[in-house]
């Protein structure tokens, strides 16, 4: 039963990782957009950093759940 739970958590973590990656890339593009005002660009840059942290956290959690599901 624990293996099924770990597998489900792995899938959830991978979905969350993909969502964070997409958000990070969008925010990076906004931060680089010279047509956007400076406060929008600064907020997007800050959000991209947060998204990178979330992406990394979910990736590590997914790997842990993947390994736990194997054993």
């Amino acid at each position: 039963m624990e293996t099924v739970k770990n597998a489900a958590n792995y899938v959830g973590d991978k979905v969350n990782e993909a969502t964070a990656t997409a958000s990070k890339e969008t925010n990076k593009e906004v931060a680089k957009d010279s047509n956007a005002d400076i406060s929008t660009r600064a907020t997007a840059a800050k959000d991209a950093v947060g998204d990178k942290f979330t992406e990394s956290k979910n990736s590590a959690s997914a790997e842990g759940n993947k390994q736990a599901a194997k054993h």
Side-chain angles (χ1 to χ4, degrees), residues 2-8 10 63-71:
E2 195 67 24
T3 300
V4 172
K5 181 181 172 188
N6 288 327
Y10 168 78
E63 185 59 30
N65 282 310
K66 179 180 175 183
Q67 293 304 320
K70 287 182 178 180
H71 302 288

Side-chain angles (χ1 to χ4, degrees), residues 6-7 9-10 16-17 20-22 32 34-36 41 44-46 50 52 54-55 58 66 71:
N6 288 327
N9 287 339
Y10 168 78
N16 291 337
E17 179 185 1
T21 300
K32 292 190 272 185
S34 62
N35 293 322
R41 293 175 70 184
K46 176 188 72 69
K52 178 61 180 171
T54 301
E55 175 188 34
N58 284 312
K66 179 180 175 183
H71 302 288

